[in-house]
C-alpha cells in the first residue's frame, strides 16, 4: 500500500485541479452567455465553485480508490473507507434523483403548452431542490390557472411571487384587489402596477403611497422606481392618477422618465419631469419636447 500512495496523491492533485478548472469554466460560460446586465457579478463565485469542483473531484477519486482496494482484496468491504464511500454514493444518488425531479418539474412549469391541471399537479409536488425556480416558472406560465395564482397570493410569503401573480392576466379581480390592499412594497406591488385590468381604486392605493409608508428612504425610492414608474406607463391608469404622479415632488429618475415618455403627458408635465433630474434627463426631455412639437 505504501508504494502506491505517492501516485495516488498525484492523482488527487490532478483531479482537484481538473475539478477546479471545470467548475470555473462552467461559471465563466454562464456569465458570458447570460443576457442579464448583472451577470458579471457571477465572476466573484469562480473561486467558490472552483473549490467545490476540486472537492468533488477528490471525492470521486476517493470512492474509486476505496472500491478498487476492496475489490482487489487490499481492504475489507466493511472497512471505514469503503463504508464512507457507500455513504457518498448514496448521497450522490439522492442528490441526482432530486435534481432530475427538479429539472422535470421546471420543464413542465416553463412549458406554455402545459395544461392547467399539469401545472397544479407540479405546484403540489414536493421538490427538495431549488423549489422557488419552479414556483416562478409556474406563475409566469401563461397557462397558469386562477386557482394556482390565488393560492400564491393567499400564501403571501414571497413578495416576488405575489408580484408575478399581480401581473398575470389570469389572476381574478378579487385577488388583484387583495394584493392592492396588502402591505406596500416595491417587490410585492410592481406586478400589479402593470396589470391591464387595474381598477381606479387599485391605482389610487398604489399612487397614494408616500415616504411615511416606508421604513427607509431606499425602500421609498425603489417603490417609485418599480411601482410608480410602472403605474405611469400603464395605459389603464386613470388620467387623474397619472397627473398626480407627474406632479410628485422630487421623483426618482425612472418615475420622471416614465412621465416624460408617456403619450398622455402634456408639454408642461414633460418639461417639469425633465427639470427634476440631472443632465441626462434634461437632454431627454428636450428631445421628447421637440419630437412632440412642444
Amino acid at each position: 500500500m505504501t508504494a502506491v500512495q505517492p501516485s495516488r496523491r498525484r492523482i488527487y492533485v490532478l483531479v482537484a485541479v481538473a475539478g477546479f478548472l471545470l467548475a470555473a469554466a462552467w461559471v465563466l460560460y454562464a456569465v458570458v452567455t447570460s443576457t442579464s446586465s448583472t451577470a458579471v457579478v457571477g465572476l466573484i463565485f469562480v473561486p467558490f465553485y472552483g473549490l467545490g469542483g476540486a472537492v468533488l473531484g477528490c471525492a470521486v477519486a476517493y470512492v474509486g480508490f476505496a472500491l478498487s482496494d476492496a475489490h482487489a482484496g487490499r481492504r475489507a468491504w466493511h472497512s471505514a473507507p469503503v463504508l464512507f464511500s457507500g455513504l457518498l454514493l448514496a448521497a450522490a444518488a439522492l442528490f441526482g434523483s432530486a435534481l432530475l425531479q427538479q429539472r422535470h418539474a421546471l420543464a413542465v412549469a416553463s412549458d406554455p403548452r402545459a395544461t392547467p391541471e399539469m401545472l397544479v399537479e407540479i405546484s403540489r409536488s414536493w421538490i427538495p431542490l431549488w423549489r422557488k425556480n419552479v414556483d416562478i416558472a409556474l406563475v409566469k406560465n401563461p397557462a397558469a390557472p386562477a386557482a394556482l395564482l390565488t393560492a400564491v397570493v393567499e400564501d403571501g410569503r414571497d413578495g416576488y411571487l405575489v408580484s408575478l401573480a399581480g401581473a398575470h392576466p389570469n389572476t381574478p379581480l378579487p385577488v388583484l384587489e387583495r394584493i392592492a390592499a396588502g402591505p406596500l412594497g416595491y417587490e410585492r406591488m410592481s406586478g400589479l402596477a402593470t396589470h391591464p385590468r387595474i381598477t381606479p381604486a387599485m391605482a389610487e392605493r398604489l399612487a397614494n403611497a408616500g415616504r411615511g409608508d416606508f421604513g427607509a428612504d431606499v425602500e421609498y425610492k425603489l417603490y417609485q422606481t418599480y411601482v410608480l414608474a410602472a403605474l405611469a406607463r400603464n395605459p389603464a391608469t386613470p388620467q387623474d392618477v397619472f397627473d398626480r404622479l407627474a406632479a410628485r415632488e422630487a421623483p426618482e429618475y425612472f418615475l420622471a422618465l416614465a412621465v416624460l415618455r408617456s403619450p398622455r403627458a402634456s408639454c408642461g408635465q414633460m418639461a417639469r419631469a425633465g427639470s427634476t433630474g440631472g443632465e441626462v434627463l434634461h437632454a431627454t426631455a428636450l428631445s421628447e419636447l421637440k419630437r412632440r412639437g412642444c
Side-chain angles (χ1 to χ4, degrees), residues 32 257 289:
V32 170
L257 188 63
L289 288 167

Side-chain angles (χ1 to χ4, degrees), residues 101-110 118-142 144-145 148-149 151-153 155-165 168:
Q101 180 186 5
Q102 193 268 351
R103 301 302 290 179
H104 169 72
L106 185 60
V108 175
S110 305
M118 293 168 63
L119 298 178
V120 169
E121 181 180 357
I122 290 295
S123 71
R124 294 172 178 171
S125 301
W126 180 66
I127 303 170
L129 295 177
W130 302 298
R131 171 74 201 218
K132 186 173 180 179
N133 292 344
V134 177
D135 289 338
I136 290 173
L138 284 169
V139 183
K140 283 185 174 181
N141 194 308
L148 189 155
L149 298 166
V152 166
V153 176
D155 180 67
R157 288 178 295 179
D158 191 297
Y160 180 58
L161 291 178
V162 172
S163 177
L164 292 176
H168 202 290

Side-chain angles (χ1 to χ4, degrees), residues 29-54:
Y29 174 79
V31 169
V32 170
T33 58
S34 175
T35 57
S36 172
S37 59
T38 59
V40 69
V41 177
L43 292 176
I44 66 175
F45 294 104
V46 168
F48 303 101
Y49 278 89
L51 181 60

Side-chain angles (χ1 to χ4, degrees), residues 164-176:
L164 292 176
H168 202 290
N170 293 347
T171 302
L173 186 60
V175 179
L176 297 178

Side-chain angles (χ1 to χ4, degrees), residues 158-243:
D158 191 297
Y160 180 58
L161 291 178
V162 172
S163 177
L164 292 176
H168 202 290
N170 293 347
T171 302
L173 186 60
V175 179
L176 297 178
E177 292 173 341
R178 179 170 180 169
I179 297 173
L184 291 172
Y186 78 94
E187 189 177 37
R188 194 175 186 277
M189 295 295 192
S190 56
L192 179 62
T194 69
H195 204 286
R197 289 189 290 116
I198 191 171
T199 65
M202 295 179 203
E204 288 275 356
R205 159 74 169 157
L206 300 186
N208 286 342
R211 173 62 185 86
D213 296 306
F214 302 91
D217 286 339
V218 66
E219 294 178 16
Y220 181 47
K221 291 178 179 180
L222 289 170
Y223 187 84
Q224 290 189 64
T225 297
Y226 290 101
V227 180
L228 298 187
L231 197 62
R233 290 190 296 266
N234 191 341
T237 299
Q239 183 63 44
D240 63 317
V241 174
F242 176 86
D243 291 341

Side-chain angles (χ1 to χ4, degrees), residues 83-97:
L83 292 178
F84 183 64
S85 297
L87 288 175
L88 290 178
L89 288 174
L94 288 174
F95 179 81
S97 175

